Amino acid sequence: MFIKDSPMAVDSFNLESPDPKDGFCKKDWLAIDSCVPEGGARLCGNMTGGIYEYPFQMKADAFRLVFHSDNSTSHSGFQISYKLLSSCGNGLYWDPPISLIPGLFPSNVPCFTQVSERKGTINSPYYPHSYPNNLDCVYEFMRDSPFVCGVRMKVVSFELDKPVDTQLGGACLDFFHAPGCGFLCGSLRFIWTAKYQPGATSLKFHFHSDEKIGRSGFQIAFEQTYDCTSVSTQRQLHSYTRPTLS
């Protein structure tokens, strides 16, 4: 059986609250190890009753949950029930669509990049000019060795539409994300390492634009790495959407 994802029902979850200034979990947290931005993938505070689903990367044997606590106030902790699924239909953009790039000849060029190089750059279509609207692009990094642990990524330029305010918080209309992880938009700078899950043969990123006028898009430098211990840094980061179902 090919396992595609794992839903988790939060029976009890009581950790220290997120920072009131930026909403990030900085003291105690639980996180998916393979999600980037790592700070946006952390769970903390009172999350009791929530249901989350996280997808496996291609042919992955497992994914890791990481729990961290600091040296200050402690809380009751968490208890989580889980189930492995072979059929997944609830996650937003887990199996992202692939559009045809408009304005190219021939006209049937899909917006899909399979990355087998050890280092280089990826970019949005027509970068540094405005990207087309109503577009979905997939960038799939291929793991050529089990000793390669992840893909180190550094922004050269990143300019997508700014997030919009909703009753539930900020939301990205144009976004860049790893399926199952937080959506990124606006203007930002980051250096991070996207980790392969154990046994995975590839990992994907997805870029989506809506029907509004696009901005200049992004260019991101990457390098497949054997060392995933480096600390990620992120500035002016907008990560709003967690893969919650209820």
Side-chain angles (χ1 to χ4, degrees), residues 147-207:
F147 299 105
V148 174
C149 60
V151 182
R152 185 170 294 121
M153 307 176 77
K154 180 179 180 180
V155 162
V156 178
S157 177
F158 195 104
E159 294 289 339
L160 304 186
D161 273 350
K162 296 180 180 179
V164 297
D165 293 327
T166 71
Q167 292 181 343
L168 300 177
C172 296
L173 301 180
D174 296 353
F175 55 79
F176 180 78
H177 79 128
C181 303
F183 294 175
L184 307 180
C185 57
S187 175
L188 60 91
R189 300 290 180 268
F190 61 74
I191 302 173
W192 66 38
T193 300
K195 297 179 182 179
Y196 289 104
Q197 295 170 356
T201 56
S202 69
L203 63 84
K204 294 180 180 180
F205 283 88
H206 172 216
F207 168 61

Side-chain angles (χ1 to χ4, degrees), residues 93-108:
Y93 293 118
W94 282 1
D95 189 15
I98 298 173
S99 303
L100 299 179
I101 303 175
L104 294 184
F105 182 82
S107 59
N108 59 345

Side-chain angles (χ1 to χ4, degrees), residues 113-166:
T113 303
Q114 190 174 78
V115 184
S116 57
E117 295 83 5
R118 281 296 178 93
K119 62 190 304 184
T121 60
I122 59 172
N123 54 266
S124 52
Y126 297 115
Y127 175 86
H129 303 290
S130 297
Y131 49 79
N133 54 18
N134 295 316
L135 193 67
D136 286 285
C137 302
V138 172
Y139 307 82
E140 183 176 18
F141 291 88
M142 307 306 296
R143 186 183 195 180
D144 65 359
S145 166
F147 299 105
V148 174
C149 60
V151 182
R152 185 170 294 121
M153 307 176 77
K154 180 179 180 180
V155 162
V156 178
S157 177
F158 195 104
E159 294 289 339
L160 304 186
D161 273 350
K162 296 180 180 179
V164 297
D165 293 327
T166 71

Side-chain angles (χ1 to χ4, degrees), residues 33 36 38 42 64 147-153 191-196 223-233:
D33 186 51
V36 287
E38 189 271 335
R42 297 174 183 175
R64 296 188 179 100
F147 299 105
V148 174
C149 60
V151 182
R152 185 170 294 121
M153 307 176 77
I191 302 173
W192 66 38
T193 300
K195 297 179 182 179
Y196 289 104
E223 181 177 6
Q224 305 253 18
T225 181
Y226 297 95
D227 178 13
C228 291
T229 59
S230 59
V231 177
S232 299
T233 62

Side-chain angles (χ1 to χ4, degrees), residues 1 25 38 48 50 61 69 73 75 80 118 131 138 143 224 226 234:
M1 178 182 293
C25 304
E38 189 271 335
T48 300
D61 300 321
S69 63
T73 306
H75 291 254
I80 296 174
R118 281 296 178 93
Y131 49 79
V138 172
R143 186 183 195 180
Q224 305 253 18
Y226 297 95
Q234 48 207 40

Side-chain angles (χ1 to χ4, degrees), residues 4-8 52-56 63 82-85:
K4 291 186 176 181
D5 84 287
S6 175
M8 301 188 301
Y52 300 87
E53 287 194 15
Y54 293 98
F56 288 91
F63 65 72
Y82 69 90
K83 181 180 180 180
L84 299 179
L85 297 180

